[in-house]
Amino acid sequence: MAIDVRIPTILRSYTGGAKAVSGAGDNLAELLTNLDGSYPGLRGRLITPEGGLHRFVNIYVNDEDVRFLGSLDAKISDGDTVTILPAVAGGAFGLAAAAAVLGR
Amino acid sequence: MAVRAWARVGRLVAVLTIHREIIEAIVAHARRDHPDEACGVVAGPVGSDAPLRHIPMENAERSTTFYRFDSTEQLRVWREMDDRDEEPVVIYHSHTATEPYPSRTDVSYAGEPNAHYLLVSTRDEHTAEIRSFRIVDGQVSEEPVQLVDESMDPMRSIEKSGDPHAVQSFMFGQSPATVDYECQH
């Protein structure tokens, strides 16, 4: 048994195009370290240099966002599915801030 | 000499072709949520570049200047697309007081390299502005938006028929100075 990990389109360059890969670990941090051994660079797209979960991604254990499960400490068991998705976010804040600075 | 514009992503022509009814539904969603930003997806069969199924999403931030898909809803919708062999062909959101152009925040979050990023501005209460972009590796390229009438379905046959009245082509906003064109003879 292993952990089934679903890879989003934008990160498939790290997995040779694979949509799903297998990994191992008792928690998310261990899983990502394990995956980085097979797919170098993948972990760096998910974890910030400070060691936290990147805000540009959502990671789920089965149906639950890991942010509700202790983030990198989220427990994982054989047979679980871990899904990685790009966080979809944005908005006019950057533009509004620029407009304020320019006095428009 | 015919000049065709190709997107940097390679496989796709740099244009968003979408049913008028879907654009109208997106604008209606943006109007409904105004002054908060509205957001959503239009799904289509993988590789088709055809946005066919409109899915309005919750803005988990409920903000006038920021949007974020609710992560639980997103997982459900992304799985549903996967089960139906679909992908997010269009990812849209509204700017409610500024132009429909991707902000730095939009560019930094753009994580679907195959998606058209559609922006709607509801800053004018009578006229909605719509513009579409590709955002790949932090590079923003504007593309024209072609509206197709539902009654002329399917889209593919219109493109083949070459009927100039079947498809109206719109470029909303100013000219696409940022589009990277490669000419084909």
Side-chain angles (χ1 to χ4, degrees):
Chain A
M1 288 277 272
I3 294 147
D4 179 35
V5 184
R6 305 296 167 95
I7 306 293
T9 310
I10 197 165
L11 296 180
R12 289 180 198 159
S13 54
Y14 293 93
T15 59
K19 215 174 148 176
V21 299
S22 278
D26 289 333
N27 59 40
L28 184 61
E30 287 182 20
L31 173 70
L32 297 183
T33 300
N34 172 264
L35 287 176
D36 207 59
S38 313
Y39 311 103
L42 183 61
R43 185 177 179 276
R45 296 293 300 270
L46 306 173
I47 308 265
T48 63
E50 294 74 36
L53 193 58
H54 221 299
R55 71 180 188 282
F56 300 124
V57 294
N58 295 335
I59 302 182
Y60 307 84
V61 176
N62 301 321
D63 296 336
E64 196 81 47
D65 187 332
V66 297
R67 290 188 175 91
F68 306 124
L69 299 172
S71 202
L72 290 166
D73 297 327
K75 294 276 174 260
I76 306 174
S77 310
D78 275 358
D80 281 346
T81 298
V82 170
T83 305
I84 304 169
L85 293 182
V88 182
F93 179 72
L95 288 175
V101 168
L102 294 170
R104 281 191 235 148
Chain B
M1 186 183 70
V3 177
R4 298 180 71 188
W6 294 86
R8 268 196 161 170
V9 286
R11 75 186 173 93
L12 300 167
V13 176
V15 59
L16 168 63
T17 303
I18 188 166
H19 288 301
R20 181 186 306 278
E21 283 78 1
I22 292 178
I23 288 292
E24 285 170 357
I26 289 171
V27 170
H29 178 204
R31 290 282 185 212
R32 205 158 59 233
D33 286 7
H34 185 93
D36 287 347
E37 294 195 2
C39 56
V41 169
V42 189
V46 170
S48 69
D49 201 34
L52 299 177
R53 192 164 67 90
H54 176 210
I55 311 164
M57 303 280 289
E58 282 288 321
N59 177 1
E61 302 286 329
R62 296 187 179 278
S63 159
T64 58
T65 55
F66 198 72
Y67 81 97
R68 176 186 294 277
F69 284 8
D70 173 80
S71 66
T72 305
E73 181 183 32
Q74 189 190 345
L75 178 65
R76 183 176 58 70
V77 167
W78 255 242
R79 273 188 184 158
E80 190 179 79
M81 285 193 283
D82 214 38
D83 291 344
R84 298 165 61 120
D85 291 319
E86 291 175 337
E87 62 185 348
V89 180
V90 170
I91 294 176
Y92 71 86
H93 74 281
S94 63
H95 287 175
T96 57
T98 52
E99 63 176 328
Y101 191 87
S103 66
R104 275 168 60 182
T105 323
D106 294 331
V107 174
S108 64
Y109 273 98
E112 290 287 355
N114 297 336
H116 301 263
Y117 284 88
L118 185 76
L119 278 88
V120 181
S121 176
T122 54
R123 62 181 164 175
D124 184 293
E125 63 178 305
H126 302 295
T127 310
E129 301 162 76
I130 290 169
R131 291 166 74 179
S132 182
F133 304 85
R134 292 286 186 170
I135 308 176
V136 179
D137 295 332
Q139 292 292 114
V140 178
S141 314
E142 183 162 10
E143 59 187 1
V145 179
Q146 276 193 328
L147 298 189
V148 180
D149 285 303
E150 194 84 58
S151 55
M152 314 296 271
D153 209 30
M155 274 199 250
R156 213 171 284 119
S157 67
I158 297 168
E159 286 171 5
K160 282 184 184 152
S161 75
D163 177 357
H165 302 295
V167 180
Q168 282 182 283
S169 185
F170 290 91
M171 171 67 87
F172 293 87
Q174 65 236 47
S175 63
T178 49
V179 173
D180 217 359
Y181 286 105
E182 283 173 26
C183 296
Q184 261 211 344
H185 302 282

